[in-house]
Every structure is written in C-alpha cells, then in structure tokens.
Amino acid sequence: MLGKKILVVDDDVHICELIVLYLKKEGYDAVMVHDGLKAIETVKEEVPHLVILDIMLPKMDGWDVCRELKKISDIPIIMLTAKDDTFDKVLGLKIGADDYIVKPFEPRELMARVDAVLRRYHRQSHGVQQIILPSFMVDREAYKIRIQNQVYELPPKEMELLYFLVKNQNRVFTREQLIEQIWGFDYEGDNRTIDVHIKRLREKLEPIEERYQIKTVWGVGYKFEVMDHA
C-alpha cells in the first residue's frame, strides 16, 4: 500500500499536519485541505486512494462531503470527529463511510485503520467474480456457491446479495444500502425483503456458521462476519 495518496480534511491545521507527518512516515503520499468544498475539488483533481474526513468543517460539513464523494466515486472514507456518539457512527455507516475514529486518537491506531481500510478495498477490486475462502466459495458468474464439498445454485438476487456482503466482509450495511446495491434506487417494494433473503442465506450457511455468519447489527443492518479462527 506504500505510495498511495491520502487526502486529509480537517479545519484544524495542527491536526492535519500531525496526520500528514505520520502518513508520510508510513510511506504514504499525503495532502491536506481545510474545508468541505476544497475537499471535493481536491478529490476530483488529485484522485486519492483514501480520504480521512473530519465532520465539523467550514463551507460544507463532513456528512455532506461524504455523500457527495460517494456519488462520484467509491473511494474509501474514514470519518474523524470529536463526538463519541452512536448516532454519528450509525449515520456515517449509512452514508457510506468505511470506518470511524474519535478524537483524541492515537496516531498509531489511525495508521492501522488506514492500512486495514486500504487492504480491504484492494481485495474488493472490481472485476473479481469469484471469492474463495476456506471451506467456502462464491462464484458470481455461475450463480453457485460451494460450502465445504457441496455445490449449490442460488437465485440471482440471493447471489448478488451474498456476493456483495462477502466482498465487503466485516462491513455493516443498512437495509436501504443493500436495496440500492442489489435492487436499485427505483425499487418500490418493502425493504424487509432483505430480511427474507438473509434468512434463506443463513440457512445455506449453517454448515460453516462457526467460521462465517451474516450477522445482524441491531439498529444498523447486516454484515458478513469472518470469525478470527476461520
């Protein structure tokens, strides 16, 4: 991941300089800006690999910046804020943030999160149609999964949902986000249809549930969790 460009957005110049210093020590190419509008402009011009984004910004706050960036790019975003509030965390997830860290923070923790998000994003590179894990394989192109030595065919929407969750393993998505990803923005049905599909997928994953689970994150949504011992 060395050499990747990271944009740091915070109105506190001292914090920006500190983060940039640590990023450069880790081998990243880092740039900084101090307001929301400049952040969007810089992303369009510089095309960074990741954005570290403060919430409280002049001209446009971090929430709106995140929303705008997700409209034009799938660039990963780490939200940075002084508020240790569950509402902020849930909102960040809902609008597409990939991680969230609260000030004051240890620079080493932020560096670890940057590295983790970039590695996860790299593994999710576009064009991959097959995901292979121990005892489990998802083949999006063939609409098949292999659990241990057994192969199953999945209906299209179940496959698309499972593939998306596995591709973004350990990341939480709301029902609304999943509907938009799998059914599209113009879907007019009940978003509880997600629950029905999740139930069917969980039944299929029962033989390997000690390793892999589609977990409910109460008040937020769902995630595909890979257990530490997998």
Side-chain angles (χ1 to χ4, degrees):
M1 300 298 165
L2 299 184
K4 288 190 177 295
K5 183 178 293 184
I6 297 175
L7 173 63
V8 182
V9 188
D10 197 309
D11 61 341
D12 187 321
V13 176
H14 174 70
I15 288 178
C16 272
E17 290 176 344
L18 179 65
I19 294 173
V20 167
L21 176 65
Y22 273 88
L23 286 169
K24 289 184 175 180
K25 282 179 63 177
E26 294 295 319
Y28 294 108
D29 179 12
V31 294
M32 60 182 173
V33 298
H34 308 298
D35 69 71
L37 291 178
K38 186 64 176 177
I40 294 172
E41 179 184 322
T42 303
V43 167
K44 291 178 179 178
E45 293 176 353
E46 301 280 346
V47 194
H49 295 89
L50 180 142
V51 177
I52 297 173
L53 178 64
D54 188 36
I55 292 176
M56 304 303 291
L57 293 170
K59 299 185 181 180
M60 179 184 287
D61 68 29
W63 301 131
D64 287 337
V65 172
C66 184
R67 290 187 184 96
E68 289 302 310
L69 292 182
K70 288 300 180 179
K71 290 178 183 177
I72 63 174
S73 172
D74 61 352
I75 183 172
I77 297 172
I78 297 177
M79 301 297 291
L80 188 66
T81 180
K83 296 180 180 179
D84 188 7
D85 190 306
T86 300
F87 173 79
D88 281 352
K89 294 178 182 178
V90 171
L91 180 57
L93 290 170
K94 283 185 175 181
I95 64 176
D98 295 83
D99 205 348
Y100 187 106
I101 191 165
V102 178
K103 300 176 184 176
F105 55 86
E106 285 289 333
R108 285 179 297 178
E109 180 186 0
L110 179 58
M111 295 305 104
R113 288 174 183 257
V114 166
D115 185 60
V117 169
L118 283 172
R119 288 184 185 279
R120 185 171 67 214
Y121 184 76
H122 179 70
R123 289 198 302 269
Q124 297 161 10
S125 57
H126 300 296
V128 176
Q129 297 293 309
Q130 196 176 76
I131 301 173
I132 302 173
L133 300 171
S135 302
F136 183 47
M137 183 271 289
V138 180
D139 189 334
R140 182 185 186 188
E141 191 171 19
Y143 283 89
K144 293 180 179 180
I145 62 173
R146 187 180 70 240
I147 295 175
Q148 295 172 339
N149 294 318
Q150 187 70 39
V151 176
Y152 303 89
E153 291 188 4
L154 295 189
K157 292 303 183 188
E158 278 188 37
M159 170 55 73
E160 294 296 327
L161 178 58
L162 179 62
Y163 180 85
F164 181 76
L165 288 170
V166 176
K167 181 182 175 184
N168 294 281
Q169 58 189 253
N170 297 321
R171 178 176 168 186
V172 183
F173 294 93
T174 65
R175 290 183 180 87
E176 291 78 12
Q177 286 176 316
L178 293 172
I179 286 288
E180 289 173 3
Q181 287 288 335
I182 311 304
W183 279 265
F185 290 94
D186 57 351
Y187 177 75
E188 296 181 354
D190 186 348
N191 66 8
R192 294 287 169 174
T193 190
I194 288 290
D195 301 342
V196 175
H197 284 72
I198 292 291
K199 182 175 183 293
R200 292 173 181 163
L201 289 172
R202 281 173 170 163
E203 290 171 354
K204 294 180 174 72
L205 294 175
E206 279 183 3
I208 51 173
E209 64 183 3
E210 290 186 359
R211 288 189 168 203
Y212 313 107
Q213 291 183 19
I214 299 177
K215 285 205 166 184
T216 301
V217 180
W218 298 110
V220 186
Y222 295 106
K223 68 175 178 176
F224 181 83
E225 184 167 276
V226 177
M227 308 303 170
D228 290 340
H229 60 272

